[in-house]
mmCIF file of all heavy atoms in Angstrom:
data_model
loop_
_atom_site.group_PDB
_atom_site.id
_atom_site.type_symbol
_atom_site.label_atom_id
_atom_site.label_comp_id
_atom_site.label_asym_id
_atom_site.label_seq_id
_atom_site.Cartn_x
_atom_site.Cartn_y
_atom_site.Cartn_z
ATOM 1 N N VAL A 1 7.636 5.477 14.926
ATOM 2 C CA VAL A 1 6.282 5.358 15.395
ATOM 3 C C VAL A 1 5.627 4.293 14.578
ATOM 4 O O VAL A 1 6.202 3.923 13.529
ATOM 5 C CB VAL A 1 5.490 6.635 15.247
ATOM 6 C CG1 VAL A 1 6.058 7.743 16.089
ATOM 7 C CG2 VAL A 1 5.390 7.157 13.756
ATOM 8 N N PRO A 2 4.548 3.717 15.016
ATOM 9 C CA PRO A 2 3.853 2.702 14.149
ATOM 10 C C PRO A 2 3.467 3.296 12.781
ATOM 11 O O PRO A 2 2.925 4.396 12.685
ATOM 12 C CB PRO A 2 2.605 2.408 14.926
ATOM 13 C CG PRO A 2 2.998 2.652 16.354
ATOM 14 C CD PRO A 2 3.879 3.843 16.312
ATOM 15 N N VAL A 3 3.740 2.514 11.690
ATOM 16 C CA VAL A 3 3.468 2.894 10.365
ATOM 17 C C VAL A 3 2.642 1.863 9.630
ATOM 18 O O VAL A 3 2.930 0.649 9.792
ATOM 19 C CB VAL A 3 4.821 3.201 9.606
ATOM 20 C CG1 VAL A 3 4.503 3.537 8.121
ATOM 21 C CG2 VAL A 3 5.614 4.303 10.236
ATOM 22 N N LEU A 4 1.533 2.316 9.048
ATOM 23 C CA LEU A 4 0.795 1.449 8.223
ATOM 24 C C LEU A 4 0.848 1.738 6.806
ATOM 25 O O LEU A 4 0.636 2.982 6.382
ATOM 26 C CB LEU A 4 -0.674 1.457 8.727
ATOM 27 C CG LEU A 4 -1.701 0.639 7.876
ATOM 28 C CD1 LEU A 4 -1.431 -0.853 7.953
ATOM 29 C CD2 LEU A 4 -3.103 0.922 8.408
ATOM 30 N N LEU A 5 1.248 0.840 5.896
ATOM 31 C CA LEU A 5 1.216 1.114 4.491
ATOM 32 C C LEU A 5 -0.013 0.329 3.943
ATOM 33 O O LEU A 5 -0.212 -0.822 4.272
ATOM 34 C CB LEU A 5 2.494 0.512 3.853
ATOM 35 C CG LEU A 5 3.862 1.087 4.227
ATOM 36 C CD1 LEU A 5 4.966 0.341 3.407
ATOM 37 C CD2 LEU A 5 3.987 2.569 3.940
ATOM 38 N N ILE A 6 -0.739 1.030 3.145
ATOM 39 C CA ILE A 6 -1.955 0.456 2.457
ATOM 40 C C ILE A 6 -1.713 0.586 0.999
ATOM 41 O O ILE A 6 -1.462 1.605 0.363
ATOM 42 C CB ILE A 6 -3.300 1.158 2.965
ATOM 43 C CG1 ILE A 6 -3.376 1.040 4.454
ATOM 44 C CG2 ILE A 6 -4.451 0.486 2.285
ATOM 45 C CD1 ILE A 6 -4.676 1.810 4.934
ATOM 46 N N TRP A 7 -1.893 -0.575 0.335
ATOM 47 C CA TRP A 7 -1.656 -0.620 -1.187
ATOM 48 C C TRP A 7 -2.811 -1.405 -1.811
ATOM 49 O O TRP A 7 -3.317 -2.482 -1.355
ATOM 50 C CB TRP A 7 -0.365 -1.277 -1.568
ATOM 51 C CG TRP A 7 0.551 -0.330 -2.355
ATOM 52 C CD1 TRP A 7 0.386 -0.036 -3.704
ATOM 53 C CD2 TRP A 7 1.614 0.383 -1.854
ATOM 54 N NE1 TRP A 7 1.470 0.767 -4.027
ATOM 55 C CE2 TRP A 7 2.217 1.080 -2.911
ATOM 56 C CE3 TRP A 7 2.308 0.515 -0.656
ATOM 57 C CZ2 TRP A 7 3.405 1.899 -2.819
ATOM 58 C CZ3 TRP A 7 3.380 1.247 -0.481
ATOM 59 C CH2 TRP A 7 3.913 1.980 -1.574
ATOM 60 N N GLY A 8 -3.315 -0.937 -3.001
ATOM 61 C CA GLY A 8 -4.147 -1.762 -3.822
ATOM 62 C C GLY A 8 -3.344 -2.646 -4.688
ATOM 63 O O GLY A 8 -2.314 -2.108 -5.282
ATOM 64 N N ASP A 9 -3.708 -3.912 -4.754
ATOM 65 C CA ASP A 9 -2.816 -4.803 -5.646
ATOM 66 C C ASP A 9 -2.939 -4.550 -7.084
ATOM 67 O O ASP A 9 -2.208 -5.105 -7.902
ATOM 68 C CB ASP A 9 -3.054 -6.232 -5.330
ATOM 69 C CG ASP A 9 -4.458 -6.772 -5.742
ATOM 70 O OD1 ASP A 9 -5.435 -5.903 -6.040
ATOM 71 O OD2 ASP A 9 -4.685 -7.911 -5.680
ATOM 72 N N ARG A 10 -3.882 -3.611 -7.528
ATOM 73 C CA ARG A 10 -3.996 -3.309 -8.920
ATOM 74 C C ARG A 10 -3.560 -1.846 -9.162
ATOM 75 O O ARG A 10 -3.960 -1.241 -10.190
ATOM 76 C CB ARG A 10 -5.455 -3.437 -9.415
ATOM 77 C CG ARG A 10 -5.961 -4.941 -9.379
ATOM 78 C CD ARG A 10 -7.328 -5.071 -9.953
ATOM 79 N NE ARG A 10 -7.855 -6.464 -9.912
ATOM 80 C CZ ARG A 10 -9.043 -6.801 -10.289
ATOM 81 N NH1 ARG A 10 -9.880 -5.966 -10.896
ATOM 82 N NH2 ARG A 10 -9.459 -8.062 -10.131
ATOM 83 N N ASP A 11 -2.742 -1.352 -8.285
ATOM 84 C CA ASP A 11 -2.308 0.121 -8.440
ATOM 85 C C ASP A 11 -1.378 0.176 -9.648
ATOM 86 O O ASP A 11 -0.357 -0.491 -9.669
ATOM 87 C CB ASP A 11 -1.564 0.500 -7.133
ATOM 88 C CG ASP A 11 -1.385 2.035 -7.076
ATOM 89 O OD1 ASP A 11 -1.277 2.655 -8.056
ATOM 90 O OD2 ASP A 11 -1.179 2.467 -5.924
ATOM 91 N N ARG A 12 -1.699 1.106 -10.547
ATOM 92 C CA ARG A 12 -0.909 1.319 -11.772
ATOM 93 C C ARG A 12 -0.236 2.683 -11.655
ATOM 94 O O ARG A 12 0.457 2.988 -12.642
ATOM 95 C CB ARG A 12 -1.804 1.282 -13.017
ATOM 96 C CG ARG A 12 -2.220 -0.109 -13.394
ATOM 97 C CD ARG A 12 -2.970 -0.186 -14.668
ATOM 98 N NE ARG A 12 -4.220 0.456 -14.563
ATOM 99 C CZ ARG A 12 -5.159 0.603 -15.562
ATOM 100 N NH1 ARG A 12 -4.815 -0.009 -16.735
ATOM 101 N NH2 ARG A 12 -6.298 1.204 -15.461
ATOM 102 N N ALA A 13 -0.377 3.452 -10.603
ATOM 103 C CA ALA A 13 0.295 4.763 -10.447
ATOM 104 C C ALA A 13 1.493 4.685 -9.625
ATOM 105 O O ALA A 13 2.531 5.309 -9.919
ATOM 106 C CB ALA A 13 -0.824 5.733 -9.872
ATOM 107 N N VAL A 14 1.475 4.016 -8.460
ATOM 108 C CA VAL A 14 2.542 3.800 -7.605
ATOM 109 C C VAL A 14 2.678 2.234 -7.417
ATOM 110 O O VAL A 14 1.812 1.705 -6.829
ATOM 111 C CB VAL A 14 2.589 4.523 -6.273
ATOM 112 C CG1 VAL A 14 3.758 4.252 -5.500
ATOM 113 C CG2 VAL A 14 2.345 6.093 -6.496
ATOM 114 N N TYR A 15 3.677 1.683 -7.977
ATOM 115 C CA TYR A 15 3.724 0.214 -8.185
ATOM 116 C C TYR A 15 3.772 -0.460 -6.780
ATOM 117 O O TYR A 15 4.551 -0.191 -5.853
ATOM 118 C CB TYR A 15 4.993 -0.229 -8.895
ATOM 119 C CG TYR A 15 4.945 0.200 -10.304
ATOM 120 C CD1 TYR A 15 6.173 0.713 -10.950
ATOM 121 C CD2 TYR A 15 3.816 0.182 -11.113
ATOM 122 C CE1 TYR A 15 6.182 1.094 -12.279
ATOM 123 C CE2 TYR A 15 3.858 0.557 -12.401
ATOM 124 C CZ TYR A 15 5.028 1.041 -12.966
ATOM 125 O OH TYR A 15 4.948 1.418 -14.332
ATOM 126 N N PRO A 16 2.883 -1.513 -6.536
ATOM 127 C CA PRO A 16 2.868 -2.282 -5.336
ATOM 128 C C PRO A 16 4.172 -2.928 -5.096
ATOM 129 O O PRO A 16 4.537 -3.232 -3.880
ATOM 130 C CB PRO A 16 1.772 -3.290 -5.545
ATOM 131 C CG PRO A 16 0.807 -2.634 -6.576
ATOM 132 C CD PRO A 16 1.740 -1.864 -7.415
ATOM 133 N N SER A 17 4.946 -3.183 -6.115
ATOM 134 C CA SER A 17 6.182 -3.851 -5.931
ATOM 135 C C SER A 17 7.256 -2.995 -5.059
ATOM 136 O O SER A 17 8.268 -3.490 -4.575
ATOM 137 C CB SER A 17 6.886 -4.163 -7.259
ATOM 138 O OG SER A 17 7.015 -3.041 -8.030
ATOM 139 N N SER A 18 6.934 -1.681 -5.042
ATOM 140 C CA SER A 18 7.836 -0.848 -4.184
ATOM 141 C C SER A 18 7.518 -0.947 -2.719
ATOM 142 O O SER A 18 8.337 -0.390 -1.882
ATOM 143 C CB SER A 18 7.721 0.583 -4.741
ATOM 144 O OG SER A 18 6.357 1.142 -4.419
ATOM 145 N N ALA A 19 6.403 -1.462 -2.343
ATOM 146 C CA ALA A 19 5.994 -1.522 -0.985
ATOM 147 C C ALA A 19 7.004 -2.193 -0.072
ATOM 148 O O ALA A 19 7.245 -1.731 1.052
ATOM 149 C CB ALA A 19 4.619 -2.039 -0.849
ATOM 150 N N GLY A 20 7.443 -3.327 -0.386
ATOM 151 C CA GLY A 20 8.395 -4.091 0.414
ATOM 152 C C GLY A 20 9.656 -3.362 0.712
ATOM 153 O O GLY A 20 10.123 -3.400 1.890
ATOM 154 N N THR A 21 10.269 -2.702 -0.289
ATOM 155 C CA THR A 21 11.402 -1.955 0.017
ATOM 156 C C THR A 21 11.206 -0.789 0.978
ATOM 157 O O THR A 21 11.889 -0.522 1.886
ATOM 158 C CB THR A 21 11.945 -1.397 -1.343
ATOM 159 O OG1 THR A 21 12.225 -2.473 -2.270
ATOM 160 C CG2 THR A 21 13.378 -0.689 -0.997
ATOM 161 N N LEU A 22 10.074 -0.171 0.800
ATOM 162 C CA LEU A 22 9.657 0.984 1.608
ATOM 163 C C LEU A 22 9.425 0.629 3.052
ATOM 164 O O LEU A 22 9.863 1.144 4.077
ATOM 165 C CB LEU A 22 8.502 1.697 1.105
ATOM 166 C CG LEU A 22 7.941 2.992 1.783
ATOM 167 C CD1 LEU A 22 9.066 4.081 1.844
ATOM 168 C CD2 LEU A 22 6.710 3.462 1.191
ATOM 169 N N LEU A 23 8.780 -0.582 3.197
ATOM 170 C CA LEU A 23 8.458 -1.166 4.524
ATOM 171 C C LEU A 23 9.691 -1.463 5.337
ATOM 172 O O LEU A 23 9.720 -1.289 6.552
ATOM 173 C CB LEU A 23 7.704 -2.478 4.284
ATOM 174 C CG LEU A 23 7.157 -3.145 5.642
ATOM 175 C CD1 LEU A 23 6.202 -2.190 6.256
ATOM 176 C CD2 LEU A 23 6.503 -4.481 5.273
ATOM 177 N N LYS A 24 10.787 -1.801 4.728
ATOM 178 C CA LYS A 24 12.092 -2.026 5.431
ATOM 179 C C LYS A 24 12.567 -0.963 6.222
ATOM 180 O O LYS A 24 13.446 -1.065 7.171
ATOM 181 C CB LYS A 24 13.174 -2.571 4.467
ATOM 182 C CG LYS A 24 12.888 -3.966 3.814
ATOM 183 C CD LYS A 24 13.868 -4.290 2.744
ATOM 184 C CE LYS A 24 13.580 -5.558 2.038
ATOM 185 N NZ LYS A 24 14.658 -5.909 1.007
ATOM 186 N N HIS A 25 12.127 0.309 5.918
ATOM 187 C CA HIS A 25 12.646 1.529 6.509
ATOM 188 C C HIS A 25 11.871 1.818 7.819
ATOM 189 O O HIS A 25 12.154 2.800 8.499
ATOM 190 C CB HIS A 25 12.552 2.715 5.598
ATOM 191 C CG HIS A 25 13.505 2.649 4.453
ATOM 192 N ND1 HIS A 25 13.318 1.901 3.280
ATOM 193 C CD2 HIS A 25 14.712 3.249 4.243
ATOM 194 C CE1 HIS A 25 14.430 1.996 2.531
ATOM 195 N NE2 HIS A 25 15.251 2.792 3.105
ATOM 196 N N PHE A 26 10.822 1.075 8.152
ATOM 197 C CA PHE A 26 10.029 1.360 9.250
ATOM 198 C C PHE A 26 10.069 0.204 10.299
ATOM 199 O O PHE A 26 9.513 -0.811 10.097
ATOM 200 C CB PHE A 26 8.518 1.636 8.947
ATOM 201 C CG PHE A 26 8.422 2.699 7.895
ATOM 202 C CD1 PHE A 26 7.869 2.509 6.590
ATOM 203 C CD2 PHE A 26 8.801 4.084 8.155
ATOM 204 C CE1 PHE A 26 7.747 3.483 5.681
ATOM 205 C CE2 PHE A 26 8.539 5.070 7.278
ATOM 206 C CZ PHE A 26 8.032 4.753 6.092
ATOM 207 N N PRO A 27 10.786 0.338 11.420
ATOM 208 C CA PRO A 27 10.841 -0.693 12.401
ATOM 209 C C PRO A 27 9.475 -1.168 12.940
ATOM 210 O O PRO A 27 9.416 -2.378 13.278
ATOM 211 C CB PRO A 27 11.794 -0.090 13.536
ATOM 212 C CG PRO A 27 12.475 0.993 12.813
ATOM 213 C CD PRO A 27 11.532 1.524 11.727
ATOM 214 N N GLN A 28 8.562 -0.246 12.945
ATOM 215 C CA GLN A 28 7.251 -0.534 13.412
ATOM 216 C C GLN A 28 6.255 -0.545 12.239
ATOM 217 O O GLN A 28 5.067 -0.115 12.521
ATOM 218 C CB GLN A 28 6.812 0.340 14.560
ATOM 219 C CG GLN A 28 7.635 0.301 15.807
ATOM 220 C CD GLN A 28 7.088 1.177 16.969
ATOM 221 O OE1 GLN A 28 5.986 0.876 17.380
ATOM 222 N NE2 GLN A 28 7.770 2.233 17.294
ATOM 223 N N GLY A 29 6.719 -0.994 11.132
ATOM 224 C CA GLY A 29 5.867 -0.918 9.922
ATOM 225 C C GLY A 29 5.052 -2.206 9.728
ATOM 226 O O GLY A 29 5.350 -3.257 10.046
ATOM 227 N N LYS A 30 3.915 -1.978 9.017
ATOM 228 C CA LYS A 30 3.005 -2.990 8.615
ATOM 229 C C LYS A 30 2.463 -2.720 7.205
ATOM 230 O O LYS A 30 2.136 -1.521 6.962
ATOM 231 C CB LYS A 30 1.860 -3.202 9.646
ATOM 232 C CG LYS A 30 0.826 -4.234 9.261
ATOM 233 C CD LYS A 30 -0.313 -4.265 10.246
ATOM 234 C CE LYS A 30 -1.417 -5.170 9.809
ATOM 235 N NZ LYS A 30 -2.509 -5.183 10.863
ATOM 236 N N LEU A 31 2.311 -3.742 6.366
ATOM 237 C CA LEU A 31 1.814 -3.536 5.017
ATOM 238 C C LEU A 31 0.428 -4.271 4.926
ATOM 239 O O LEU A 31 0.346 -5.460 5.244
ATOM 240 C CB LEU A 31 2.721 -4.010 3.986
ATOM 241 C CG LEU A 31 2.163 -4.131 2.556
ATOM 242 C CD1 LEU A 31 1.888 -2.783 2.041
ATOM 243 C CD2 LEU A 31 3.231 -4.793 1.619
ATOM 244 N N VAL A 32 -0.638 -3.609 4.452
ATOM 245 C CA VAL A 32 -1.892 -4.267 4.177
ATOM 246 C C VAL A 32 -2.198 -4.029 2.654
ATOM 247 O O VAL A 32 -2.049 -2.912 2.197
ATOM 248 C CB VAL A 32 -3.048 -3.638 5.060
ATOM 249 C CG1 VAL A 32 -4.404 -4.189 4.519
ATOM 250 C CG2 VAL A 32 -2.729 -3.901 6.459
ATOM 251 N N THR A 33 -2.465 -5.113 1.985
ATOM 252 C CA THR A 33 -2.756 -5.051 0.538
ATOM 253 C C THR A 33 -4.236 -5.286 0.385
ATOM 254 O O THR A 33 -4.823 -6.221 0.903
ATOM 255 C CB THR A 33 -1.944 -6.101 -0.230
ATOM 256 O OG1 THR A 33 -0.578 -5.955 -0.073
ATOM 257 C CG2 THR A 33 -2.289 -6.039 -1.706
ATOM 258 N N MET A 34 -4.883 -4.314 -0.318
ATOM 259 C CA MET A 34 -6.293 -4.437 -0.541
ATOM 260 C C MET A 34 -6.597 -5.046 -1.919
ATOM 261 O O MET A 34 -6.157 -4.517 -2.993
ATOM 262 C CB MET A 34 -6.997 -3.072 -0.463
ATOM 263 C CG MET A 34 -6.946 -2.522 1.026
ATOM 264 S SD MET A 34 -7.738 -0.932 1.205
ATOM 265 C CE MET A 34 -9.432 -1.403 0.822
ATOM 266 N N ARG A 35 -7.155 -6.288 -1.945
ATOM 267 C CA ARG A 35 -7.331 -6.972 -3.186
ATOM 268 C C ARG A 35 -8.326 -6.360 -4.061
ATOM 269 O O ARG A 35 -9.430 -5.971 -3.678
ATOM 270 C CB ARG A 35 -7.809 -8.380 -2.894
ATOM 271 C CG ARG A 35 -6.762 -9.267 -1.983
ATOM 272 C CD ARG A 35 -5.377 -9.397 -2.651
ATOM 273 N NE ARG A 35 -4.430 -9.965 -1.725
ATOM 274 C CZ ARG A 35 -3.194 -10.087 -2.011
ATOM 275 N NH1 ARG A 35 -2.717 -9.705 -3.232
ATOM 276 N NH2 ARG A 35 -2.347 -10.684 -1.186
ATOM 277 N N GLY A 36 -8.033 -6.268 -5.313
ATOM 278 C CA GLY A 36 -8.925 -5.664 -6.408
ATOM 279 C C GLY A 36 -8.928 -4.219 -6.524
ATOM 280 O O GLY A 36 -9.575 -3.683 -7.325
ATOM 281 N N ALA A 37 -8.213 -3.575 -5.572
ATOM 282 C CA ALA A 37 -8.236 -2.122 -5.548
ATOM 283 C C ALA A 37 -7.050 -1.554 -6.346
ATOM 284 O O ALA A 37 -5.979 -2.146 -6.553
ATOM 285 C CB ALA A 37 -8.154 -1.572 -4.076
ATOM 286 N N GLY A 38 -7.243 -0.323 -6.850
ATOM 287 C CA GLY A 38 -6.154 0.323 -7.519
ATOM 288 C C GLY A 38 -5.510 1.411 -6.638
ATOM 289 O O GLY A 38 -5.120 1.148 -5.514
ATOM 290 N N HIS A 39 -5.376 2.609 -7.141
ATOM 291 C CA HIS A 39 -4.581 3.688 -6.409
ATOM 292 C C HIS A 39 -5.409 4.366 -5.477
ATOM 293 O O HIS A 39 -4.808 5.065 -4.607
ATOM 294 C CB HIS A 39 -4.086 4.569 -7.584
ATOM 295 C CG HIS A 39 -3.096 5.589 -7.070
ATOM 296 N ND1 HIS A 39 -1.943 5.217 -6.494
ATOM 297 C CD2 HIS A 39 -3.074 6.987 -7.025
ATOM 298 C CE1 HIS A 39 -1.140 6.301 -6.147
ATOM 299 N NE2 HIS A 39 -1.879 7.370 -6.402
ATOM 300 N N VAL A 40 -6.649 4.252 -5.375
ATOM 301 C CA VAL A 40 -7.455 5.014 -4.529
ATOM 302 C C VAL A 40 -8.369 4.043 -3.634
ATOM 303 O O VAL A 40 -9.568 4.072 -3.851
ATOM 304 C CB VAL A 40 -8.361 6.082 -5.154
ATOM 305 C CG1 VAL A 40 -7.420 7.223 -5.672
ATOM 306 C CG2 VAL A 40 -9.092 5.506 -6.402
ATOM 307 N N PRO A 41 -7.822 3.153 -2.862
ATOM 308 C CA PRO A 41 -8.616 2.112 -2.237
ATOM 309 C C PRO A 41 -9.630 2.700 -1.220
ATOM 310 O O PRO A 41 -10.623 2.101 -0.860
ATOM 311 C CB PRO A 41 -7.577 1.296 -1.383
ATOM 312 C CG PRO A 41 -6.358 2.187 -1.288
ATOM 313 C CD PRO A 41 -6.408 2.956 -2.540
ATOM 314 N N TYR A 42 -9.443 3.951 -0.719
ATOM 315 C CA TYR A 42 -10.300 4.538 0.218
ATOM 316 C C TYR A 42 -11.646 4.969 -0.492
ATOM 317 O O TYR A 42 -12.602 5.184 0.147
ATOM 318 C CB TYR A 42 -9.707 5.822 0.828
ATOM 319 C CG TYR A 42 -8.883 6.657 -0.111
ATOM 320 C CD1 TYR A 42 -9.429 7.584 -0.925
ATOM 321 C CD2 TYR A 42 -7.508 6.387 -0.132
ATOM 322 C CE1 TYR A 42 -8.620 8.278 -1.823
ATOM 323 C CE2 TYR A 42 -6.671 7.117 -1.121
ATOM 324 C CZ TYR A 42 -7.300 8.091 -1.924
ATOM 325 O OH TYR A 42 -6.579 8.780 -2.681
ATOM 326 N N GLU A 43 -11.644 5.019 -1.807
ATOM 327 C CA GLU A 43 -12.832 5.270 -2.587
ATOM 328 C C GLU A 43 -13.389 4.015 -3.084
ATOM 329 O O GLU A 43 -14.585 3.844 -3.269
ATOM 330 C CB GLU A 43 -12.544 6.165 -3.801
ATOM 331 C CG GLU A 43 -11.997 7.626 -3.392
ATOM 332 C CD GLU A 43 -11.994 8.554 -4.539
ATOM 333 O OE1 GLU A 43 -12.843 8.455 -5.361
ATOM 334 O OE2 GLU A 43 -11.035 9.342 -4.587
ATOM 335 N N GLU A 44 -12.587 3.009 -3.559
ATOM 336 C CA GLU A 44 -12.985 1.841 -4.219
ATOM 337 C C GLU A 44 -13.651 0.808 -3.211
ATOM 338 O O GLU A 44 -14.593 0.060 -3.590
ATOM 339 C CB GLU A 44 -11.781 1.167 -4.839
ATOM 340 C CG GLU A 44 -11.173 2.086 -5.911
ATOM 341 C CD GLU A 44 -9.830 1.494 -6.462
ATOM 342 O OE1 GLU A 44 -9.960 0.533 -7.275
ATOM 343 O OE2 GLU A 44 -8.758 1.958 -6.067
ATOM 344 N N ASN A 45 -13.018 0.643 -1.982
ATOM 345 C CA ASN A 45 -13.664 -0.183 -0.940
ATOM 346 C C ASN A 45 -13.593 0.578 0.336
ATOM 347 O O ASN A 45 -12.707 0.200 1.323
ATOM 348 C CB ASN A 45 -12.951 -1.521 -0.931
ATOM 349 C CG ASN A 45 -13.651 -2.548 -0.168
ATOM 350 O OD1 ASN A 45 -14.559 -2.191 0.723
ATOM 351 N ND2 ASN A 45 -13.368 -3.818 -0.390
ATOM 352 N N PRO A 46 -14.430 1.637 0.493
ATOM 353 C CA PRO A 46 -14.242 2.462 1.690
ATOM 354 C C PRO A 46 -14.489 1.748 3.133
ATOM 355 O O PRO A 46 -13.948 2.063 4.071
ATOM 356 C CB PRO A 46 -15.173 3.591 1.486
ATOM 357 C CG PRO A 46 -16.204 3.050 0.456
ATOM 358 C CD PRO A 46 -15.375 2.038 -0.375
#
């Protein structure tokens, strides 16, 4: 199914560098990076 990955580029809890490898597992995947956000982008830039 369609998969959306959302990552803050300042995330220190789950490394943004892991997003690319994870994305490869989803044929319908998409990655969006939120600039300036950390681990909780839904709170930092809702």
